[in-house]
Amino acid sequence: MKCFFYGVVGAFPNLNLKRNYTNTSCVYLETDSAHLIFDAGSGLLDCSKSHNLSTKPIFIFLSHFHYDHIMGLLFFPPLLNGTNDIYFIHPNPKLAEKTIKSFFSPIFFPLTFSSFHKQPSFISPHDCKKHSLSVDFCELSHPGKAYAYKLSFLDKQFIYATDNELSNSNHTKYVSFFKSASILIHDCFFYNENKSHVYKWGHSFLHQNLQLAHDANVKNLCLFHHNPNRTDSQFLNMKKDIDIFIKKNNSVFNCYITYDSFSLDF
C-alpha cells in the first residue's frame, strides 16, 4: 500500500512557496473499495486535485475539530458538488455532525450544509466494519480531545496519530496501541523549544517520537504536524539528531520527516 501526504504542518498554512511544508494536515490512502482521507486541513485541496475521488466512497477520518484540521472542507469539490458518498468518521458521530454543520454556517461561509446535493454520513470507527474496514481508535492527549486511528490491512497496520502530547505518564499506553505498526504518523510539532513553556499544549517533541517508535517497535515513523515556523536549518538538525538516536540505540525503524507531496509504500 502507499500513503500520500498533502498537508504536514499544524496551526496555520505556511505560504512560503519556496518550501514543501505549506499545508495543514491531510493524508490519503486508497483501497480497492474506498478513498481514505485522514483530516481535512488545507492539504485536502491538493489531495482532491491529485486523485480521481469520484470513483469510490470517501471516508474522512477526523482526529478533532480544530480549524487547521477541517479548513479544507470549505472548498472540497466532492462535498460541495455531491459527486459521491462521503462518510465522516469520529468516535462521537453526533458531535462531529453538529460541529461540521456549524462550520458551514452563513456566519462563517456562504454555503449552508443543507444546500449540498448529497448529504454525507457521520459514523463511528466501529461502523466502518460494515464497509469492510477494520478500524480501532485511541484518545490522544490534546485540549478538546483528539483521536488516533489504527487501520488493519491483512498483516499491516496503519496508524494516524496527530496532535498528541507524549509524556512519561502516557508512554506505556501509546507504546501498547502503536505496537509493531507498519507505519506510524505522529505529531512532532516541537523540536528544541523550552518544554516548560509549551506544557499542556497537546503536542510532542522529536526525542519523544524517537523513543516511542523504538519502544513500540514500529517499522516506519513519519514525523508530522510540524511547527509552520520551523526553519530549514532546524529540519537539517533534526535529521542529524534522528541519525544519532538510531545509531546510538541500534534502532531498526525508518524515520521520515514528512513534507507536502511525500509518499511512502508500506
Side-chain angles (χ1 to χ4, degrees), residues 1-5 27-29 149-151 153 155-161 178-186 217-223 254 256 258 262-266:
M1 298 192 70
K2 190 172 188 175
C3 63
F4 299 83
F5 293 75
V27 176
Y28 171 85
L29 277 177
Y149 295 102
K150 179 194 295 183
L151 280 73
F153 305 98
D155 60 339
K156 298 180 179 180
Q157 288 188 328
F158 168 94
I159 300 178
Y160 178 81
F178 301 152
K179 196 72 174 177
S180 302
S182 303
I183 177 170
L184 169 61
I185 300 169
H186 197 275
N217 194 34
V218 305
K219 184 176 180 180
N220 297 290
L221 171 64
C222 292
L223 302 175
N254 302 308
Y256 304 93
T258 63
F262 175 75
S263 62
L264 182 67
D265 290 297
F266 67 97

Side-chain angles (χ1 to χ4, degrees), residues 78-83 113-120:
L79 180 61
L80 303 184
N81 301 331
T83 53
F113 204 79
S114 60
S115 68
F116 300 151
H117 295 299
K118 183 180 289 187
Q119 292 293 299

Side-chain angles (χ1 to χ4, degrees), residues 182-210:
S182 303
I183 177 170
L184 169 61
I185 300 169
H186 197 275
D187 179 283
C188 190
F189 195 80
F190 297 125
Y191 173 40
N192 55 5
E193 291 85 350
N194 187 318
K195 193 172 182 179
S196 64
H197 292 171
V198 295
Y199 178 63
K200 293 293 186 181
W201 280 31
H203 298 290
S204 296
F205 285 79
L206 172 63
H207 71 275
Q208 295 174 315
N209 272 269
L210 298 175

Side-chain angles (χ1 to χ4, degrees), residues 74-224:
L74 295 175
F75 299 97
F76 185 47
L79 180 61
L80 303 184
N81 301 331
T83 53
N84 51 341
D85 294 329
I86 297 177
Y87 299 87
F88 286 102
I89 294 89
H90 188 269
N92 188 337
K94 291 184 178 180
L95 175 62
E97 182 174 8
K98 178 181 178 181
T99 304
I100 298 302
K101 284 185 175 180
S102 68
F103 194 47
F104 286 91
S105 163
I107 298 175
F108 303 115
F109 193 69
L111 298 179
T112 62
F113 204 79
S114 60
S115 68
F116 300 151
H117 295 299
K118 183 180 289 187
Q119 292 293 299
S121 301
F122 293 84
I123 64 175
S124 73
H126 296 311
D127 292 330
C128 290
K129 293 179 181 178
K130 302 173 185 177
H131 303 276
S132 302
L133 292 172
S134 176
V135 183
D136 196 4
F137 68 95
C138 176
E139 185 175 331
L140 300 174
S141 178
H142 192 72
K145 290 189 180 180
Y147 296 91
Y149 295 102
K150 179 194 295 183
L151 280 73
S152 299
F153 305 98
L154 297 177
D155 60 339
K156 298 180 179 180
Q157 288 188 328
F158 168 94
I159 300 178
Y160 178 81
T162 188
D163 291 55
N164 186 33
E165 184 166 346
L166 296 170
S167 65
N168 291 335
S169 61
N170 62 32
H171 183 77
T172 300
K173 168 187 174 180
Y174 294 125
V175 165
S176 176
F177 188 76
F178 301 152
K179 196 72 174 177
S180 302
S182 303
I183 177 170
L184 169 61
I185 300 169
H186 197 275
D187 179 283
C188 190
F189 195 80
F190 297 125
Y191 173 40
N192 55 5
E193 291 85 350
N194 187 318
K195 193 172 182 179
S196 64
H197 292 171
V198 295
Y199 178 63
K200 293 293 186 181
W201 280 31
H203 298 290
S204 296
F205 285 79
L206 172 63
H207 71 275
Q208 295 174 315
N209 272 269
L210 298 175
Q211 192 63 55
L212 176 70
H214 178 83
D215 293 347
N217 194 34
V218 305
K219 184 176 180 180
N220 297 290
L221 171 64
C222 292
L223 302 175
F224 186 74

Side-chain angles (χ1 to χ4, degrees), residues 214 243-253:
H214 178 83
D243 292 340
I244 291 171
F245 178 94
I246 289 177
K247 183 176 181 180
K248 179 180 179 181
N249 293 277
N250 295 315
S251 300
V252 296
F253 66 90

Side-chain angles (χ1 to χ4, degrees), residues 36-39 59-63 89 128 133 135 149 151:
L36 310 181
I37 298 174
F38 297 83
D39 274 335
F59 293 80
I60 302 177
F61 293 80
L62 297 172
S63 63
I89 294 89
C128 290
L133 292 172
V135 183
Y149 295 102
L151 280 73

